[in-house]
Amino acid sequence: MKQFLLSILLVIQVAQVSAQPSTEIMLFDLKISGDNITATNGSNITRHPGAYDNQPFFHPEKSLLYYASADENGHTDIKVYDLNTRQTSYLRQTPEREYSPTVTPDKKYVSCIIQRDNGAQDLGKYPIDGGDAVVILNHLTVGYHAWVDNQTLFMFVLGEPITLRQYDLVSKKDTVRATNIGRSLHRIPGSDAVSFIQKTNDDHWTINRIDRQGNISLIGDALRGREDVAWTPNGHIIISDGKTLLAMRPGKTTWKEISISSPVFLKSVSRLAVSADGTKLALVIEE
């Protein structure tokens, strides 16, 4: 009976992960001067009414933005937006459904969640220059992931409870590091560590740091109910309360509002991404 209930829970959680609200991706110019951050020249780069365009991720060296995009049937593939040409293409169109694109540390692949028609949900990777997917692991139901290096992965894994897992690709060692975490996992610039949201209780969420040795430390308090963050290359954390953007430097205790100029009303801001050079900000809004 316990196994049956767990199976039902996993089905429900996978459905929640794959739910597709109508969202668009806005791209802004970002300027950082000390603790002052401004976002200007906002533009909608997806312009895909009624569809799901989400989970932006900047290439660490090239002027490319990867994101998950659904067609008219709700089938998702990974798309690539060229910041220079303003053209959009597919990384690859497949029979499966892909989510959470992430450039691997060697910059040869885009890793992502691959949902199969049989209900399986693998973590795989597609060659950036084209080719078939390579399965990284298929024994866990991974929702989100972040790389520390070519060998070390941190993952948000569905289950009861949701867990933060550290996985070593060489030894195949799988270690639970925390429970009841948020979906936002990010490599912290200039470090061998990843940040994650710890949901201590309904009223208290924190942003924590974990390194590849498994050491966990507190960075600061998150906003209540907000689990999506992004890092600037100089070490600011950016978060949204849904309508505005705020930033904080680790070691400080207060969030400072970011000055933002947008051609549209920012509604239900969720996922965020900052380019490696700190000049571009992508954010997801509901239509």
Side-chain angles (χ1 to χ4, degrees), residues 136-173:
I136 299 171
L137 57 87
N138 56 14
H139 68 283
L140 297 170
T141 307
V142 181
Y144 308 93
H145 67 293
W147 296 88
V148 171
D149 50 40
N150 288 318
Q151 183 175 332
T152 310
L153 264 172
F154 283 99
M155 304 175 295
F156 168 110
V157 176
L158 293 165
E160 182 53 48
I162 288 171
T163 54
L164 172 66
R165 304 280 190 112
Q166 182 176 351
Y167 186 75
D168 188 293
L169 274 69
V170 175
S171 68
K172 309 300 182 186
K173 185 179 180 181

PDB file of all heavy atoms in Angstrom, residues 136-173:
ATOM      1  N   ILE A 136      22.080  10.533 -18.908  1.00  0.00           N
ATOM      2  CA  ILE A 136      23.008  10.680 -17.788  1.00  0.00           C
ATOM      3  C   ILE A 136      22.599   9.759 -16.654  1.00  0.00           C
ATOM      4  O   ILE A 136      23.417   9.034 -16.097  1.00  0.00           O
ATOM      5  CB  ILE A 136      23.053  12.141 -17.310  1.00  0.00           C
ATOM      6  CG1 ILE A 136      23.540  13.051 -18.437  1.00  0.00           C
ATOM      7  CG2 ILE A 136      23.947  12.279 -16.077  1.00  0.00           C
ATOM      8  CD1 ILE A 136      23.417  14.532 -18.120  1.00  0.00           C
ATOM      9  N   LEU A 137      21.307   9.783 -16.301  1.00  0.00           N
ATOM     10  CA  LEU A 137      20.784   8.844 -15.304  1.00  0.00           C
ATOM     11  C   LEU A 137      19.285   8.707 -15.497  1.00  0.00           C
ATOM     12  O   LEU A 137      18.610   9.632 -15.947  1.00  0.00           O
ATOM     13  CB  LEU A 137      21.137   9.265 -13.876  1.00  0.00           C
ATOM     14  CG  LEU A 137      20.716  10.645 -13.363  1.00  0.00           C
ATOM     15  CD1 LEU A 137      19.313  10.618 -12.792  1.00  0.00           C
ATOM     16  CD2 LEU A 137      21.684  11.121 -12.309  1.00  0.00           C
ATOM     17  N   ASN A 138      18.783   7.536 -15.158  1.00  0.00           N
ATOM     18  CA  ASN A 138      17.345   7.268 -15.337  1.00  0.00           C
ATOM     19  C   ASN A 138      16.744   6.522 -14.153  1.00  0.00           C
ATOM     20  O   ASN A 138      15.643   5.997 -14.259  1.00  0.00           O
ATOM     21  CB  ASN A 138      17.099   6.481 -16.626  1.00  0.00           C
ATOM     22  CG  ASN A 138      17.887   5.181 -16.680  1.00  0.00           C
ATOM     23  OD1 ASN A 138      18.434   4.721 -15.664  1.00  0.00           O
ATOM     24  ND2 ASN A 138      17.959   4.586 -17.854  1.00  0.00           N
ATOM     25  N   HIS A 139      17.461   6.490 -13.032  1.00  0.00           N
ATOM     26  CA  HIS A 139      16.942   5.781 -11.865  1.00  0.00           C
ATOM     27  C   HIS A 139      16.312   6.722 -10.842  1.00  0.00           C
ATOM     28  O   HIS A 139      15.796   6.266  -9.821  1.00  0.00           O
ATOM     29  CB  HIS A 139      18.057   4.958 -11.195  1.00  0.00           C
ATOM     30  CG  HIS A 139      19.130   5.791 -10.538  1.00  0.00           C
ATOM     31  ND1 HIS A 139      20.120   6.433 -11.248  1.00  0.00           N
ATOM     32  CD2 HIS A 139      19.349   6.092  -9.237  1.00  0.00           C
ATOM     33  CE1 HIS A 139      20.913   7.080 -10.426  1.00  0.00           C
ATOM     34  NE2 HIS A 139      20.459   6.889  -9.190  1.00  0.00           N
ATOM     35  N   LEU A 140      16.343   8.024 -11.112  1.00  0.00           N
ATOM     36  CA  LEU A 140      15.725   9.010 -10.232  1.00  0.00           C
ATOM     37  C   LEU A 140      14.799   9.902 -11.058  1.00  0.00           C
ATOM     38  O   LEU A 140      15.043  10.125 -12.243  1.00  0.00           O
ATOM     39  CB  LEU A 140      16.790   9.887  -9.559  1.00  0.00           C
ATOM     40  CG  LEU A 140      17.782   9.199  -8.626  1.00  0.00           C
ATOM     41  CD1 LEU A 140      18.895  10.173  -8.245  1.00  0.00           C
ATOM     42  CD2 LEU A 140      17.090   8.667  -7.379  1.00  0.00           C
ATOM     43  N   THR A 141      13.756  10.420 -10.429  1.00  0.00           N
ATOM     44  CA  THR A 141      12.853  11.348 -11.111  1.00  0.00           C
ATOM     45  C   THR A 141      13.345  12.764 -10.838  1.00  0.00           C
ATOM     46  O   THR A 141      12.967  13.399  -9.856  1.00  0.00           O
ATOM     47  CB  THR A 141      11.401  11.162 -10.638  1.00  0.00           C
ATOM     48  OG1 THR A 141      11.030   9.796 -10.761  1.00  0.00           O
ATOM     49  CG2 THR A 141      10.455  12.004 -11.483  1.00  0.00           C
ATOM     50  N   VAL A 142      14.220  13.247 -11.717  1.00  0.00           N
ATOM     51  CA  VAL A 142      14.855  14.546 -11.541  1.00  0.00           C
ATOM     52  C   VAL A 142      13.959  15.643 -12.087  1.00  0.00           C
ATOM     53  O   VAL A 142      13.439  15.544 -13.204  1.00  0.00           O
ATOM     54  CB  VAL A 142      16.228  14.581 -12.247  1.00  0.00           C
ATOM     55  CG1 VAL A 142      16.904  15.931 -12.048  1.00  0.00           C
ATOM     56  CG2 VAL A 142      17.120  13.450 -11.735  1.00  0.00           C
ATOM     57  N   GLY A 143      13.772  16.698 -11.311  1.00  0.00           N
ATOM     58  CA  GLY A 143      12.991  17.840 -11.769  1.00  0.00           C
ATOM     59  C   GLY A 143      13.872  18.971 -12.277  1.00  0.00           C
ATOM     60  O   GLY A 143      13.600  19.570 -13.310  1.00  0.00           O
ATOM     61  N   TYR A 144      14.983  19.251 -11.541  1.00  0.00           N
ATOM     62  CA  TYR A 144      15.885  20.342 -11.884  1.00  0.00           C
ATOM     63  C   TYR A 144      17.302  19.932 -11.495  1.00  0.00           C
ATOM     64  O   TYR A 144      17.494  19.045 -10.648  1.00  0.00           O
ATOM     65  CB  TYR A 144      15.481  21.638 -11.163  1.00  0.00           C
ATOM     66  CG  TYR A 144      14.020  21.978 -11.370  1.00  0.00           C
ATOM     67  CD1 TYR A 144      13.048  21.564 -10.458  1.00  0.00           C
ATOM     68  CD2 TYR A 144      13.608  22.673 -12.500  1.00  0.00           C
ATOM     69  CE1 TYR A 144      11.709  21.842 -10.665  1.00  0.00           C
ATOM     70  CE2 TYR A 144      12.262  22.955 -12.719  1.00  0.00           C
ATOM     71  CZ  TYR A 144      11.323  22.533 -11.798  1.00  0.00           C
ATOM     72  OH  TYR A 144       9.996  22.791 -12.013  1.00  0.00           O
ATOM     73  N   HIS A 145      18.289  20.596 -12.082  1.00  0.00           N
ATOM     74  CA  HIS A 145      19.664  20.189 -11.798  1.00  0.00           C
ATOM     75  C   HIS A 145      20.635  21.344 -12.018  1.00  0.00           C
ATOM     76  O   HIS A 145      20.313  22.322 -12.702  1.00  0.00           O
ATOM     77  CB  HIS A 145      20.065  19.010 -12.681  1.00  0.00           C
ATOM     78  CG  HIS A 145      20.163  19.340 -14.140  1.00  0.00           C
ATOM     79  ND1 HIS A 145      19.067  19.681 -14.905  1.00  0.00           N
ATOM     80  CD2 HIS A 145      21.225  19.411 -14.987  1.00  0.00           C
ATOM     81  CE1 HIS A 145      19.440  19.921 -16.151  1.00  0.00           C
ATOM     82  NE2 HIS A 145      20.747  19.777 -16.232  1.00  0.00           N
ATOM     83  N   ALA A 146      21.814  21.236 -11.420  1.00  0.00           N
ATOM     84  CA  ALA A 146      22.886  22.210 -11.608  1.00  0.00           C
ATOM     85  C   ALA A 146      24.218  21.476 -11.533  1.00  0.00           C
ATOM     86  O   ALA A 146      24.399  20.578 -10.701  1.00  0.00           O
ATOM     87  CB  ALA A 146      22.819  23.314 -10.561  1.00  0.00           C
ATOM     88  N   TRP A 147      25.139  21.865 -12.397  1.00  0.00           N
ATOM     89  CA  TRP A 147      26.471  21.260 -12.437  1.00  0.00           C
ATOM     90  C   TRP A 147      27.446  22.052 -11.579  1.00  0.00           C
ATOM     91  O   TRP A 147      27.438  23.275 -11.602  1.00  0.00           O
ATOM     92  CB  TRP A 147      27.007  21.235 -13.857  1.00  0.00           C
ATOM     93  CG  TRP A 147      26.235  20.392 -14.820  1.00  0.00           C
ATOM     94  CD1 TRP A 147      25.154  20.767 -15.570  1.00  0.00           C
ATOM     95  CD2 TRP A 147      26.495  19.018 -15.143  1.00  0.00           C
ATOM     96  NE1 TRP A 147      24.723  19.716 -16.342  1.00  0.00           N
ATOM     97  CE2 TRP A 147      25.530  18.631 -16.111  1.00  0.00           C
ATOM     98  CE3 TRP A 147      27.445  18.094 -14.722  1.00  0.00           C
ATOM     99  CZ2 TRP A 147      25.486  17.355 -16.650  1.00  0.00           C
ATOM    100  CZ3 TRP A 147      27.407  16.821 -15.263  1.00  0.00           C
ATOM    101  CH2 TRP A 147      26.440  16.454 -16.211  1.00  0.00           C
ATOM    102  N   VAL A 148      28.317  21.341 -10.849  1.00  0.00           N
ATOM    103  CA  VAL A 148      29.450  21.974 -10.185  1.00  0.00           C
ATOM    104  C   VAL A 148      30.673  21.866 -11.088  1.00  0.00           C
ATOM    105  O   VAL A 148      31.410  22.816 -11.306  1.00  0.00           O
ATOM    106  CB  VAL A 148      29.731  21.329  -8.814  1.00  0.00           C
ATOM    107  CG1 VAL A 148      31.037  21.852  -8.235  1.00  0.00           C
ATOM    108  CG2 VAL A 148      28.588  21.615  -7.851  1.00  0.00           C
ATOM    109  N   ASP A 149      30.885  20.661 -11.634  1.00  0.00           N
ATOM    110  CA  ASP A 149      31.944  20.407 -12.602  1.00  0.00           C
ATOM    111  C   ASP A 149      31.480  19.247 -13.466  1.00  0.00           C
ATOM    112  O   ASP A 149      30.335  18.795 -13.350  1.00  0.00           O
ATOM    113  CB  ASP A 149      33.280  20.108 -11.897  1.00  0.00           C
ATOM    114  CG  ASP A 149      33.154  19.037 -10.814  1.00  0.00           C
ATOM    115  OD1 ASP A 149      32.430  18.039 -11.036  1.00  0.00           O
ATOM    116  OD2 ASP A 149      33.771  19.194  -9.748  1.00  0.00           O
ATOM    117  N   ASN A 150      32.360  18.748 -14.330  1.00  0.00           N
ATOM    118  CA  ASN A 150      31.959  17.680 -15.245  1.00  0.00           C
ATOM    119  C   ASN A 150      31.617  16.373 -14.538  1.00  0.00           C
ATOM    120  O   ASN A 150      31.019  15.480 -15.150  1.00  0.00           O
ATOM    121  CB  ASN A 150      33.080  17.419 -16.262  1.00  0.00           C
ATOM    122  CG  ASN A 150      33.194  18.531 -17.283  1.00  0.00           C
ATOM    123  OD1 ASN A 150      32.186  19.024 -17.781  1.00  0.00           O
ATOM    124  ND2 ASN A 150      34.412  18.940 -17.584  1.00  0.00           N
ATOM    125  N   GLN A 151      31.964  16.267 -13.277  1.00  0.00           N
ATOM    126  CA  GLN A 151      31.752  15.034 -12.531  1.00  0.00           C
ATOM    127  C   GLN A 151      30.623  15.139 -11.515  1.00  0.00           C
ATOM    128  O   GLN A 151      30.015  14.117 -11.164  1.00  0.00           O
ATOM    129  CB  GLN A 151      33.058  14.649 -11.803  1.00  0.00           C
ATOM    130  CG  GLN A 151      33.009  13.352 -11.033  1.00  0.00           C
ATOM    131  CD  GLN A 151      34.365  12.992 -10.439  1.00  0.00           C
ATOM    132  OE1 GLN A 151      35.414  13.371 -10.966  1.00  0.00           O
ATOM    133  NE2 GLN A 151      34.362  12.242  -9.342  1.00  0.00           N
ATOM    134  N   THR A 152      30.305  16.350 -11.060  1.00  0.00           N
ATOM    135  CA  THR A 152      29.427  16.527  -9.910  1.00  0.00           C
ATOM    136  C   THR A 152      28.145  17.266 -10.270  1.00  0.00           C
ATOM    137  O   THR A 152      28.188  18.358 -10.835  1.00  0.00           O
ATOM    138  CB  THR A 152      30.150  17.295  -8.794  1.00  0.00           C
ATOM    139  OG1 THR A 152      31.427  16.700  -8.550  1.00  0.00           O
ATOM    140  CG2 THR A 152      29.326  17.285  -7.519  1.00  0.00           C
ATOM    141  N   LEU A 153      27.022  16.657  -9.911  1.00  0.00           N
ATOM    142  CA  LEU A 153      25.692  17.224 -10.156  1.00  0.00           C
ATOM    143  C   LEU A 153      24.943  17.380  -8.841  1.00  0.00           C
ATOM    144  O   LEU A 153      25.025  16.520  -7.966  1.00  0.00           O
ATOM    145  CB  LEU A 153      24.878  16.268 -11.030  1.00  0.00           C
ATOM    146  CG  LEU A 153      24.810  16.456 -12.540  1.00  0.00           C
ATOM    147  CD1 LEU A 153      24.091  15.255 -13.147  1.00  0.00           C
ATOM    148  CD2 LEU A 153      24.080  17.740 -12.893  1.00  0.00           C
ATOM    149  N   PHE A 154      24.197  18.475  -8.728  1.00  0.00           N
ATOM    150  CA  PHE A 154      23.208  18.587  -7.672  1.00  0.00           C
ATOM    151  C   PHE A 154      21.833  18.578  -8.331  1.00  0.00           C
ATOM    152  O   PHE A 154      21.637  19.208  -9.380  1.00  0.00           O
ATOM    153  CB  PHE A 154      23.405  19.852  -6.850  1.00  0.00           C
ATOM    154  CG  PHE A 154      24.545  19.755  -5.874  1.00  0.00           C
ATOM    155  CD1 PHE A 154      25.783  20.302  -6.172  1.00  0.00           C
ATOM    156  CD2 PHE A 154      24.374  19.095  -4.672  1.00  0.00           C
ATOM    157  CE1 PHE A 154      26.844  20.201  -5.286  1.00  0.00           C
ATOM    158  CE2 PHE A 154      25.428  18.978  -3.768  1.00  0.00           C
ATOM    159  CZ  PHE A 154      26.668  19.532  -4.076  1.00  0.00           C
ATOM    160  N   MET A 155      20.875  17.877  -7.716  1.00  0.00           N
ATOM    161  CA  MET A 155      19.588  17.661  -8.354  1.00  0.00           C
ATOM    162  C   MET A 155      18.432  17.824  -7.363  1.00  0.00           C
ATOM    163  O   MET A 155      18.539  17.441  -6.203  1.00  0.00           O
ATOM    164  CB  MET A 155      19.532  16.247  -8.951  1.00  0.00           C
ATOM    165  CG  MET A 155      20.646  15.939  -9.925  1.00  0.00           C
ATOM    166  SD  MET A 155      20.611  14.206 -10.479  1.00  0.00           S
ATOM    167  CE  MET A 155      20.966  13.341  -8.937  1.00  0.00           C
ATOM    168  N   PHE A 156      17.338  18.386  -7.860  1.00  0.00           N
ATOM    169  CA  PHE A 156      16.058  18.413  -7.180  1.00  0.00           C
ATOM    170  C   PHE A 156      15.337  17.147  -7.629  1.00  0.00           C
ATOM    171  O   PHE A 156      15.025  16.993  -8.815  1.00  0.00           O
ATOM    172  CB  PHE A 156      15.315  19.678  -7.619  1.00  0.00           C
ATOM    173  CG  PHE A 156      13.852  19.779  -7.247  1.00  0.00           C
ATOM    174  CD1 PHE A 156      13.432  20.688  -6.287  1.00  0.00           C
ATOM    175  CD2 PHE A 156      12.892  19.031  -7.906  1.00  0.00           C
ATOM    176  CE1 PHE A 156      12.072  20.835  -5.983  1.00  0.00           C
ATOM    177  CE2 PHE A 156      11.533  19.167  -7.606  1.00  0.00           C
ATOM    178  CZ  PHE A 156      11.134  20.064  -6.643  1.00  0.00           C
ATOM    179  N   VAL A 157      15.096  16.222  -6.703  1.00  0.00           N
ATOM    180  CA  VAL A 157      14.533  14.927  -7.057  1.00  0.00           C
ATOM    181  C   VAL A 157      13.157  14.772  -6.425  1.00  0.00           C
ATOM    182  O   VAL A 157      12.972  14.972  -5.218  1.00  0.00           O
ATOM    183  CB  VAL A 157      15.465  13.773  -6.600  1.00  0.00           C
ATOM    184  CG1 VAL A 157      14.821  12.415  -6.890  1.00  0.00           C
ATOM    185  CG2 VAL A 157      16.810  13.873  -7.322  1.00  0.00           C
ATOM    186  N   LEU A 158      12.189  14.426  -7.254  1.00  0.00           N
ATOM    187  CA  LEU A 158      10.819  14.242  -6.799  1.00  0.00           C
ATOM    188  C   LEU A 158      10.694  13.010  -5.912  1.00  0.00           C
ATOM    189  O   LEU A 158      11.387  12.006  -6.100  1.00  0.00           O
ATOM    190  CB  LEU A 158       9.891  14.106  -8.001  1.00  0.00           C
ATOM    191  CG  LEU A 158       9.749  15.368  -8.863  1.00  0.00           C
ATOM    192  CD1 LEU A 158       9.117  15.034 -10.193  1.00  0.00           C
ATOM    193  CD2 LEU A 158       8.939  16.416  -8.139  1.00  0.00           C
ATOM    194  N   GLY A 159       9.804  13.086  -4.967  1.00  0.00           N
ATOM    195  CA  GLY A 159       9.563  11.998  -4.028  1.00  0.00           C
ATOM    196  C   GLY A 159       8.892  12.554  -2.800  1.00  0.00           C
ATOM    197  O   GLY A 159       8.482  13.704  -2.747  1.00  0.00           O
ATOM    198  N   GLU A 160       8.779  11.752  -1.777  1.00  0.00           N
ATOM    199  CA  GLU A 160       8.186  12.189  -0.523  1.00  0.00           C
ATOM    200  C   GLU A 160       9.166  11.885   0.613  1.00  0.00           C
ATOM    201  O   GLU A 160       9.276  10.745   1.063  1.00  0.00           O
ATOM    202  CB  GLU A 160       6.855  11.470  -0.281  1.00  0.00           C
ATOM    203  CG  GLU A 160       6.128  11.888   0.976  1.00  0.00           C
ATOM    204  CD  GLU A 160       5.926  13.379   1.090  1.00  0.00           C
ATOM    205  OE1 GLU A 160       5.478  14.007   0.125  1.00  0.00           O
ATOM    206  OE2 GLU A 160       6.244  13.916   2.173  1.00  0.00           O
ATOM    207  N   PRO A 161       9.956  12.878   1.050  1.00  0.00           N
ATOM    208  CA  PRO A 161       9.898  14.272   0.620  1.00  0.00           C
ATOM    209  C   PRO A 161      10.731  14.521  -0.649  1.00  0.00           C
ATOM    210  O   PRO A 161      11.475  13.640  -1.091  1.00  0.00           O
ATOM    211  CB  PRO A 161      10.515  15.011   1.809  1.00  0.00           C
ATOM    212  CG  PRO A 161      11.574  14.041   2.284  1.00  0.00           C
ATOM    213  CD  PRO A 161      10.964  12.667   2.121  1.00  0.00           C
ATOM    214  N   ILE A 162      10.617  15.727  -1.194  1.00  0.00           N
ATOM    215  CA  ILE A 162      11.528  16.163  -2.249  1.00  0.00           C
ATOM    216  C   ILE A 162      12.917  16.269  -1.648  1.00  0.00           C
ATOM    217  O   ILE A 162      13.092  16.716  -0.514  1.00  0.00           O
ATOM    218  CB  ILE A 162      11.066  17.519  -2.823  1.00  0.00           C
ATOM    219  CG1 ILE A 162       9.802  17.320  -3.666  1.00  0.00           C
ATOM    220  CG2 ILE A 162      12.161  18.195  -3.643  1.00  0.00           C
ATOM    221  CD1 ILE A 162       9.145  18.596  -4.105  1.00  0.00           C
ATOM    222  N   THR A 163      13.927  15.838  -2.406  1.00  0.00           N
ATOM    223  CA  THR A 163      15.285  15.817  -1.868  1.00  0.00           C
ATOM    224  C   THR A 163      16.267  16.569  -2.765  1.00  0.00           C
ATOM    225  O   THR A 163      16.078  16.676  -3.976  1.00  0.00           O
ATOM    226  CB  THR A 163      15.799  14.380  -1.700  1.00  0.00           C
ATOM    227  OG1 THR A 163      15.672  13.670  -2.945  1.00  0.00           O
ATOM    228  CG2 THR A 163      15.020  13.645  -0.624  1.00  0.00           C
ATOM    229  N   LEU A 164      17.319  17.083  -2.124  1.00  0.00           N
ATOM    230  CA  LEU A 164      18.482  17.589  -2.836  1.00  0.00           C
ATOM    231  C   LEU A 164      19.499  16.457  -2.877  1.00  0.00           C
ATOM    232  O   LEU A 164      19.944  15.978  -1.826  1.00  0.00           O
ATOM    233  CB  LEU A 164      19.068  18.806  -2.115  1.00  0.00           C
ATOM    234  CG  LEU A 164      20.408  19.323  -2.660  1.00  0.00           C
ATOM    235  CD1 LEU A 164      20.244  19.879  -4.074  1.00  0.00           C
ATOM    236  CD2 LEU A 164      20.995  20.392  -1.728  1.00  0.00           C
ATOM    237  N   ARG A 165      19.848  16.011  -4.076  1.00  0.00           N
ATOM    238  CA  ARG A 165      20.780  14.903  -4.235  1.00  0.00           C
ATOM    239  C   ARG A 165      22.078  15.398  -4.864  1.00  0.00           C
ATOM    240  O   ARG A 165      22.074  16.244  -5.762  1.00  0.00           O
ATOM    241  CB  ARG A 165      20.202  13.824  -5.153  1.00  0.00           C
ATOM    242  CG  ARG A 165      18.849  13.268  -4.737  1.00  0.00           C
ATOM    243  CD  ARG A 165      18.963  12.237  -3.640  1.00  0.00           C
ATOM    244  NE  ARG A 165      17.700  11.562  -3.441  1.00  0.00           N
ATOM    245  CZ  ARG A 165      17.463  10.278  -3.719  1.00  0.00           C
ATOM    246  NH1 ARG A 165      18.420   9.520  -4.229  1.00  0.00           N
ATOM    247  NH2 ARG A 165      16.271   9.745  -3.494  1.00  0.00           N
ATOM    248  N   GLN A 166      23.169  14.845  -4.407  1.00  0.00           N
ATOM    249  CA  GLN A 166      24.467  15.049  -5.043  1.00  0.00           C
ATOM    250  C   GLN A 166      24.850  13.751  -5.735  1.00  0.00           C
ATOM    251  O   GLN A 166      24.808  12.673  -5.130  1.00  0.00           O
ATOM    252  CB  GLN A 166      25.534  15.425  -4.010  1.00  0.00           C
ATOM    253  CG  GLN A 166      26.907  15.689  -4.625  1.00  0.00           C
ATOM    254  CD  GLN A 166      27.924  16.144  -3.589  1.00  0.00           C
ATOM    255  OE1 GLN A 166      27.575  16.431  -2.439  1.00  0.00           O
ATOM    256  NE2 GLN A 166      29.186  16.217  -3.980  1.00  0.00           N
ATOM    257  N   TYR A 167      25.209  13.858  -7.019  1.00  0.00           N
ATOM    258  CA  TYR A 167      25.500  12.658  -7.804  1.00  0.00           C
ATOM    259  C   TYR A 167      26.876  12.783  -8.443  1.00  0.00           C
ATOM    260  O   TYR A 167      27.200  13.803  -9.062  1.00  0.00           O
ATOM    261  CB  TYR A 167      24.442  12.463  -8.887  1.00  0.00           C
ATOM    262  CG  TYR A 167      24.584  11.164  -9.646  1.00  0.00           C
ATOM    263  CD1 TYR A 167      24.205   9.957  -9.064  1.00  0.00           C
ATOM    264  CD2 TYR A 167      25.089  11.146 -10.942  1.00  0.00           C
ATOM    265  CE1 TYR A 167      24.331   8.764  -9.751  1.00  0.00           C
ATOM    266  CE2 TYR A 167      25.216   9.953 -11.648  1.00  0.00           C
ATOM    267  CZ  TYR A 167      24.837   8.767 -11.047  1.00  0.00           C
ATOM    268  OH  TYR A 167      24.970   7.579 -11.724  1.00  0.00           O
ATOM    269  N   ASP A 168      27.681  11.741  -8.265  1.00  0.00           N
ATOM    270  CA  ASP A 168      29.018  11.676  -8.856  1.00  0.00           C
ATOM    271  C   ASP A 168      28.970  10.792 -10.087  1.00  0.00           C
ATOM    272  O   ASP A 168      28.656   9.603  -9.994  1.00  0.00           O
ATOM    273  CB  ASP A 168      30.013  11.116  -7.832  1.00  0.00           C
ATOM    274  CG  ASP A 168      31.448  11.196  -8.317  1.00  0.00           C
ATOM    275  OD1 ASP A 168      31.784  10.489  -9.286  1.00  0.00           O
ATOM    276  OD2 ASP A 168      32.236  11.955  -7.727  1.00  0.00           O
ATOM    277  N   LEU A 169      29.247  11.354 -11.259  1.00  0.00           N
ATOM    278  CA  LEU A 169      29.122  10.612 -12.510  1.00  0.00           C
ATOM    279  C   LEU A 169      30.182   9.541 -12.677  1.00  0.00           C
ATOM    280  O   LEU A 169      29.998   8.599 -13.450  1.00  0.00           O
ATOM    281  CB  LEU A 169      29.176  11.563 -13.713  1.00  0.00           C
ATOM    282  CG  LEU A 169      27.847  12.194 -14.131  1.00  0.00           C
ATOM    283  CD1 LEU A 169      27.356  13.192 -13.101  1.00  0.00           C
ATOM    284  CD2 LEU A 169      27.967  12.864 -15.484  1.00  0.00           C
ATOM    285  N   VAL A 170      31.291   9.650 -11.972  1.00  0.00           N
ATOM    286  CA  VAL A 170      32.362   8.656 -12.083  1.00  0.00           C
ATOM    287  C   VAL A 170      32.095   7.473 -11.167  1.00  0.00           C
ATOM    288  O   VAL A 170      32.075   6.317 -11.598  1.00  0.00           O
ATOM    289  CB  VAL A 170      33.731   9.285 -11.772  1.00  0.00           C
ATOM    290  CG1 VAL A 170      34.819   8.212 -11.773  1.00  0.00           C
ATOM    291  CG2 VAL A 170      34.056  10.375 -12.797  1.00  0.00           C
ATOM    292  N   SER A 171      31.866   7.754  -9.898  1.00  0.00           N
ATOM    293  CA  SER A 171      31.647   6.671  -8.935  1.00  0.00           C
ATOM    294  C   SER A 171      30.201   6.192  -8.915  1.00  0.00           C
ATOM    295  O   SER A 171      29.897   5.152  -8.335  1.00  0.00           O
ATOM    296  CB  SER A 171      32.039   7.140  -7.536  1.00  0.00           C
ATOM    297  OG  SER A 171      31.144   8.143  -7.072  1.00  0.00           O
ATOM    298  N   LYS A 172      29.292   6.964  -9.516  1.00  0.00           N
ATOM    299  CA  LYS A 172      27.841   6.702  -9.498  1.00  0.00           C
ATOM    300  C   LYS A 172      27.259   6.815  -8.090  1.00  0.00           C
ATOM    301  O   LYS A 172      26.164   6.329  -7.813  1.00  0.00           O
ATOM    302  CB  LYS A 172      27.513   5.309 -10.068  1.00  0.00           C
ATOM    303  CG  LYS A 172      28.144   5.016 -11.414  1.00  0.00           C
ATOM    304  CD  LYS A 172      27.699   5.987 -12.482  1.00  0.00           C
ATOM    305  CE  LYS A 172      28.301   5.636 -13.835  1.00  0.00           C
ATOM    306  NZ  LYS A 172      28.003   6.651 -14.872  1.00  0.00           N
ATOM    307  N   LYS A 173      27.971   7.489  -7.212  1.00  0.00           N
ATOM    308  CA  LYS A 173      27.494   7.665  -5.846  1.00  0.00           C
ATOM    309  C   LYS A 173      26.387   8.697  -5.800  1.00  0.00           C
ATOM    310  O   LYS A 173      26.523   9.800  -6.344  1.00  0.00           O
ATOM    311  CB  LYS A 173      28.642   8.096  -4.934  1.00  0.00           C
ATOM    312  CG  LYS A 173      28.246   8.189  -3.456  1.00  0.00           C
ATOM    313  CD  LYS A 173      29.434   8.585  -2.609  1.00  0.00           C
ATOM    314  CE  LYS A 173      29.043   8.674  -1.133  1.00  0.00           C
ATOM    315  NZ  LYS A 173      30.199   9.078  -0.282  1.00  0.00           N
TER     316      LYS A 173
END
